[in-house]
């Protein structure tokens, strides 16, 4: 059985939703073949647990928990069908011994729907997803599995800001996890080969990809100008785009300098939310949206994952053999030192060939030829050493 924490549509929202894995059957059955889920929350209508989900722009309220199969939740009907537009939505804080929750009050022509004990973050996301426009609209033809279908409309947006929020990335509780979040976000932006820089050799860069370098500061205070200048210098030398990630935002001077140099600035939270801080960052997000919609097919994605694993194994082997070669150069035996000297250019060539393969798209079959050349070179090195 599919789980909410594993389904790609609900996994980014699962941790904040308050839902349980036992709710998976009811929620996933309700959303059916929907392509995207923008909000997910668990609460209570009276004494009955329910899940509220917004999938492909439609809101559904689903009975969950032990009594779900009995159809006792929401007036005894299972999923509730809201036959009139939501006129307003109100959130109120509920202080309980377990922590702060919010109540979701949906006002519709047919009555009020009061859902209590909704986790605060999930309630805020629902509010953004369900807030209607001021323009009157007609009720669309109801779907058999759907509760409420809001009108197709274009919401007001900040011209300088991103049009949609990106999906939630991995948690960033410390600097190591923050670097992994930056890797995830760069890949979301289209830099599919993004990876962390090897420890001890970052030269001011924590994450790099073909065409982009990134620095991550998991600081408690805002980032100033100097780290931005350092990253900008490295990016200029590499002919790459500089991208900066900060846990605590930026100083005014840093924001002004980044705007003048068109450096993309992002901030992130420990729960994996990444937000653009300037126009350059918003431009990157806009450019990523068309590519994000064109996902790789199942077999192409599997091939891309295999290539990435092969690449990582080859890099580790190059590092291992390089350490062995350096050790051989200190040997008292002339034959060992001579073998190390002959192996050095082969290792350098293998590393450069592997780097050159990063220019290819993640699932490009030509990567196999690149990796074969690297493997052959490493086989020769192993024989020498």
């Amino acid at each position: 059985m599919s789980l909410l924490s594993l389904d790609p549509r609900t996994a980014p929202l699962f941790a904040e939703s308050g839902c349980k894995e036992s709710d998976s059957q009811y929620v996933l059955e309700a959303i059916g073949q929907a392509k995207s889920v923008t909000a997910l929350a668990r609460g209570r209508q009276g004494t009955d647990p329910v899940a509220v989900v917004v999938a492909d722009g439609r809101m559904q309220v689903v009975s969950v928990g032990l009594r779900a199969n009995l159809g006792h939740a929401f007036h005894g009907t299972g999923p509730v069908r809201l036959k009139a537009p939501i006129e307003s939505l109100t959130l109120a804080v509920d202080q309980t011994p377990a922590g702060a929750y919010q109540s979701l009050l949906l006002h519709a022509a047919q009555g009020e729907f009061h859902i209590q004990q909704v986790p605060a973050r999930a309630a805020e996301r629902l509010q953004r997803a369900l807030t209607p426009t001021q323009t009157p609209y007609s009720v669309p033809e109801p779907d058999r599995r759907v509760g409420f279908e809001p009108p197709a409309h274009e919401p007001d947006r900040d011209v300088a800001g991103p049009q949609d929020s990106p999906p939630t990335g991995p948690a960033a509780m410390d600097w190591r996890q923050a670097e992994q979040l930056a890797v995830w976000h760069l890949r979301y932006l289209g830099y599919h080969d993004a990876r962390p820089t090897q420890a001890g050799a970052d030269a001011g860069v924590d994450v790099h990809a073909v065409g982009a370098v990134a620095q991550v500061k998991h600081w408690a205070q805002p980032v100033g100008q100097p780290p931005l200048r350092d990253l900008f210098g490295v990016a200029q030398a590499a002919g790459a785009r500089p991208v900066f990630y900060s846990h605590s935002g930026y100083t005014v001077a840093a924001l002004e300098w980044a705007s003048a140099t068109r450096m993309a600035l992002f901030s992130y939270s420990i729960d994996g939310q990444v937000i653009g801080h300037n126009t350059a960052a918003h431009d990157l997000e806009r450019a990523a949206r068309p590519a994000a919609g064109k996902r790789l097919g199942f077999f192409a994605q599997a091939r891309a994952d295999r290539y990435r694993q092969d690449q990582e194994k080859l890099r580790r082997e190059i590092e291992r053999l390089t350490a062995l070669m350096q050790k051989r150069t200190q040997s008292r035996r002339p034959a060992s030192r001579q073998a190390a000297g002959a192996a050095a250019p082969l290792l350098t060539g293998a590393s450069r060939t592997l780097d050159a393969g990063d220019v290819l798209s993640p699932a490009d079959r030509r990567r196999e030829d690149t990796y074969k050349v690297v493997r052959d070179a490493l086989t020769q090195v192993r024989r020498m050493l």
Side-chain angles (χ1 to χ4, degrees), residues 42 45 64 79 82 88 100 171 191 198 223 248 252 261 310 338 344 351 354 366:
R42 193 183 204 265
Q45 167 71 9
V64 295
L82 298 182
S88 65
Y191 297 97
Q198 295 296 327
V223 172
S248 301
V252 174
T261 56
D310 290 346
Q338 184 178 2
S351 181
L354 197 58
R366 288 176 293 177

Side-chain angles (χ1 to χ4, degrees), residues 283-315:
D283 289 345
L284 273 178
E285 291 174 328
R286 288 192 186 94
R289 285 191 189 90
K294 299 177 182 177
R295 300 183 182 277
L296 295 175
F298 176 80
F299 294 106
Q301 183 63 58
R303 188 164 61 248
D305 292 341
R306 176 167 59 85
Y307 289 162
R308 185 173 63 253
Q309 294 171 2
D310 290 346
Q311 184 184 55
E312 292 172 354
K313 290 179 181 178
L314 289 171
R315 288 192 185 282

Side-chain angles (χ1 to χ4, degrees), residues 14 20 46-47 52 55 65 67 70 90 111 133 176 242 252 280 311 323 361-362:
F14 177 73
K20 304 176 181 179
T47 60
V52 184
R67 298 173 65 182
L70 302 178
T90 305
T133 64
R176 292 182 181 84
V252 174
Q311 184 184 55
S361 63

Side-chain angles (χ1 to χ4, degrees), residues 6 28 46 67 153 181 272 293 321 336-337 369 383:
L6 298 180
L28 294 177
R67 298 173 65 182
H153 68 277
L181 175 61
L321 291 174
S336 296
R337 295 197 299 272
D369 298 331
R383 291 172 180 170

Side-chain angles (χ1 to χ4, degrees), residues 32-302:
Q33 300 301 314
K35 294 181 180 179
S36 66
V37 175
T38 54
L40 176 65
R42 193 183 204 265
R44 286 185 176 275
Q45 167 71 9
T47 60
D48 295 323
V50 296
V52 184
V53 58
V54 180
D56 285 355
R58 302 186 180 102
M59 189 195 81
Q60 299 173 70
V61 182
V62 185
S63 306
V64 295
L66 296 177
R67 298 173 65 182
N69 286 329
L70 302 178
H72 287 168
F74 258 63
H75 305 168
T77 63
V80 167
R81 189 183 306 281
L82 298 182
K83 298 179 181 179
I86 294 177
E87 298 173 349
S88 65
L89 181 148
T90 305
L91 296 181
V93 177
D94 294 334
Q95 292 292 345
T96 70
Y101 289 83
Q102 291 188 336
S103 293
L104 185 67
L105 186 59
L106 305 178
H107 303 274
Q110 69 186 79
E112 292 184 350
F113 299 87
H114 192 192
I115 304 174
Q116 298 176 304
Q117 299 181 17
V118 179
R121 285 189 60 84
E124 292 168 2
R125 192 181 295 275
L126 275 169
Q127 184 180 41
R128 293 195 298 269
L130 297 179
T131 299
T133 64
Q134 299 299 318
T135 305
Y137 58 90
S138 59
V139 181
E141 185 69 21
D143 184 270
R144 284 177 297 179
R145 298 189 307 267
V146 171
F148 165 67
E149 181 173 359
H153 68 277
E154 188 69 15
D156 295 333
R157 293 181 174 128
D158 180 2
V159 174
Q163 294 187 348
D164 298 295
S165 298
T168 304
M173 303 296 292
D174 55 33
W175 66 269
R176 292 182 181 84
Q177 292 181 348
E179 290 184 1
Q180 292 299 325
L181 175 61
V183 169
W184 167 85
H185 190 252
L186 277 178
R187 290 178 178 177
Y188 168 79
L189 293 177
Y191 297 97
H192 301 291
D193 61 333
R195 60 183 180 275
T197 303
Q198 295 296 327
D202 61 11
V205 173
D206 294 315
V207 181
H208 65 284
V210 173
V213 290
Q215 178 68 281
V216 183
K217 292 300 183 186
H218 196 72
W219 291 354
Q221 67 273 7
V223 172
Q225 249 188 66
L228 272 61
R229 290 182 179 274
D230 293 343
L231 178 64
F232 186 78
V234 174
Q236 289 287 92
R241 178 191 291 272
V243 183
F244 212 101
Y245 296 89
S246 168
H247 176 52
S248 301
Y250 303 87
T251 64
V252 174
L255 289 169
E256 292 176 349
W257 189 87
S259 296
T261 56
R262 296 287 300 162
M263 177 185 287
L265 302 183
F266 292 92
S267 64
Y268 65 90
S269 58
I270 60 175
D271 61 354
Q273 296 286 331
V274 182
I275 302 173
H277 258 268
N278 59 359
T279 302
H282 299 325
D283 289 345
L284 273 178
E285 291 174 328
R286 288 192 186 94
R289 285 191 189 90
K294 299 177 182 177
R295 300 183 182 277
L296 295 175
F298 176 80
F299 294 106
Q301 183 63 58

